[in-house]
């Protein structure tokens, strides 16, 4: 018989760990489950940007450990497993491989799936020049030419960070997406070994490892030599397991109301996975607090979740 929890939080990134800690601190029996070690995107991050409440030297790993400790201190059980299905019933059934867990309510906090280029041979180059983590793999390409694919805030930050290591960085922004614009864009423009070009990567070349990417600009094709490509483009909400039970917006993120309640009154969504998320740590943590509190109100009544 599957174990029955008050709440199962799916995803142990900053949003999920915070939601779980709040639910646990309100006396709810809470399981927080992840397909990887707790921390989510934090695990890949060195120095954190735009986190004014944290000491400047705080790393992603530091914050992941703090959030995981807070969750376990609140009595949350941290579980391991990839959720493949979310089934609606009298209780939710959260399915991971051959195991399942029952829950009175769920909080979905699965963030965004890694980006993709959508080109042939993409899998062949994984670990042979194609990476999703500039802070982990960037140092392997010291002095080399590298490419960052994407146009968002964190693609630009990757390009800035890589410029301190690589010989040359080409930021290739999809034709339809203007690069994100703020002070980081200005900083990027001032770096002598960075070029920013519109275009779409349509091919990867190399025998043993990556040697070049093929970039399309309209009908033209150009070969851009590169030993590595860091992919931040086409990141979609990791919600395949809930596609049949939760309403999504036009880009596949979970629709939520002001309390982060989804289309089902016993399911909440927090962090990057929910519609309109600004894709920032502070916001993911704030979402976790709101969703944890909303679940406590739902399951314990207003007086139990002050
Ligand atoms: C390169 C990069 C740099 C960034 N730098 C900063 C920064 O400096 N400052 C800042 O404010 N923000 C930064 N961000 C954004 C920030 O990391 C995210 O906004 C934040 O991590 C979102 O938290 P989350 O909990 O919603 O999702 P995530 O951190 O993505 O966590 C989601 C978790 O869900 C798990 N999961 C997914 N699917 C399943 C499943 N089916 N079953 C079980 N578990 C699952 C994942 O393994 C993951 O652990 C950066 C992002 C990137 C990509």
């Amino acid at each position: 018989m599957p174990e029955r929890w008050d709440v199962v939080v799916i995803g142990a990134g900053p949003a999920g760990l915070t939601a779980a800690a709040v639910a646990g601190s309100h006396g709810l029996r809470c399981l927080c489950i992840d397909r990887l070690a707790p921390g989510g995107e934090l695990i890949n991050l060195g120095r954190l940007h735009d986190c004014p409440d944290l000491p400047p030297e705080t790393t992603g790993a530091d914050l992941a450990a703090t959030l995981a400790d807070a969750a376990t201190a609140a009595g949350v059980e941290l579980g391991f497993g990839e959720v493949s299905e979310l089934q609606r019933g009298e209780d939710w059934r959260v399915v991971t491989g051959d195991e399942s867990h029952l829950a009175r309510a769920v909080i979905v906090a699965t963030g965004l799936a890694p980006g993709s280029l959508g080109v042939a041979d993409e899998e062949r180059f994984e670990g042979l020049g194609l990476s999703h983590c500039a802070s982990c793999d960037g140092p392997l390409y010291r002095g080399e030419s590298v490419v960052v694919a994407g146009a968002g805030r964190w693609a630009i930050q990757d390009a800035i960070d890589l410029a301190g290591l690589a010989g040359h960085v080409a930021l290739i922004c999809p034709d339809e997406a203007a690069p994100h614009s703020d002070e980081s864009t200005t900083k990027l423009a001032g770096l002598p070994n960075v070029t920013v070009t519109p275009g779409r990567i349509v091919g990867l070349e190399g025998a043993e490892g990556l040697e070049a990417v093929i970039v399309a600009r309209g009908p033209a094709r150009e070969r851009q030599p590169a030993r590595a490509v860091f992919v931040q483009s086409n990141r979609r909400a990791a919600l395949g397991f809930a596609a049949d039970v939760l309403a999504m917006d036009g880009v596949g993120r979970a629709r939520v109301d002001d309390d982060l309640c989804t289309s089902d009154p016993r399911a909440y969504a927090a962090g990057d996975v929910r519609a309109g998320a600004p894709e920032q740590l502070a916001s993911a943590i704030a979402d976790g607090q709101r969703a944890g509190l909303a679940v406590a109100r739902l399951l314990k009544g207003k007086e139990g979740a002050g």
Side-chain angles (χ1 to χ4, degrees):
M1 183 67 186
E3 192 160 357
R4 184 172 191 254
W5 301 86
D6 289 322
V7 51
V8 171
V9 179
I10 308 171
L17 287 172
T18 307
V22 172
S25 70
H26 281 92
L28 297 173
R29 284 196 70 239
C30 177
L31 170 70
C32 180
I33 193 161
D34 203 294
R35 61 189 178 88
L36 300 170
E41 204 64 67
L42 285 173
I43 296 298
N44 298 329
L45 303 183
R47 196 164 73 83
L48 303 174
H49 306 272
D50 296 342
C51 296
D53 295 340
L54 295 174
E57 67 278 8
T58 307
T59 65
D62 294 335
L63 183 56
T66 303
L67 295 176
D69 286 350
T72 46
V76 173
E77 183 156 330
L78 298 179
F80 180 71
E82 175 149 9
V83 173
S84 54
E85 223 183 322
L86 181 59
Q87 296 169 355
R88 189 188 281 120
E90 199 175 317
D91 284 325
W92 288 104
R93 183 180 285 262
V94 181
V95 182
T96 60
D98 48 13
E99 249 197 316
S100 58
H101 308 273
L102 300 178
R104 297 167 66 202
V106 291
I107 299 174
V108 177
T110 41
L112 303 179
S116 75
L117 296 169
V119 302
D121 265 4
E122 197 161 339
E123 274 176 26
R124 181 165 78 80
F125 285 99
E126 287 273 359
L128 293 175
L130 189 143
S131 168
H132 301 279
C133 181
S135 62
C136 331
D137 297 333
L140 301 174
Y141 301 98
R142 211 171 278 276
E144 309 269 13
S145 290
V146 303
V147 161
V148 176
R153 166 75 210 273
W154 305 120
I156 290 172
Q157 192 60 51
D158 273 0
I160 293 171
D161 293 346
L162 286 164
L165 293 167
H168 179 260
V169 182
L171 175 66
I172 300 185
C173 306
D175 297 328
E176 65 278 7
H180 176 88
S181 178
D182 67 4
E183 73 280 3
S184 56
T185 322
T186 316
K187 190 167 176 194
L188 189 75
L191 295 171
N193 61 338
V194 178
T195 51
V196 182
T197 40
R200 208 159 40 85
I201 295 174
V202 292
L204 302 173
E205 274 185 15
E208 304 285 304
L210 188 71
E211 290 166 17
V213 301
I214 308 301
V215 184
R217 285 182 200 96
R221 299 280 184 276
E222 193 178 289
R223 186 177 186 277
Q224 168 96 38
R227 293 303 312 279
V229 55
F230 296 91
V231 183
Q232 286 293 348
S233 47
N234 296 324
R235 299 198 66 196
R236 306 221 172 263
L239 267 180
F241 62 89
D244 296 338
V245 284
L246 301 182
M248 314 282 174
D249 71 1
V251 290
R253 301 201 194 196
R255 281 187 198 281
V256 287
D257 68 12
D258 288 346
D259 280 335
L260 301 180
C261 187
T262 67
S263 51
D264 187 294
R266 296 172 303 142
Y268 292 76
D272 286 3
V273 77
R274 58 102 173 153
E279 296 179 30
Q280 287 210 324
L281 289 169
S283 154
I285 290 170
D287 271 15
Q289 284 166 338
R290 276 164 69 198
L293 197 54
V295 156
R297 282 207 192 96
L298 175 80
L299 298 182
K300 301 200 80 173
K302 281 199 169 46
E303 68 290 351

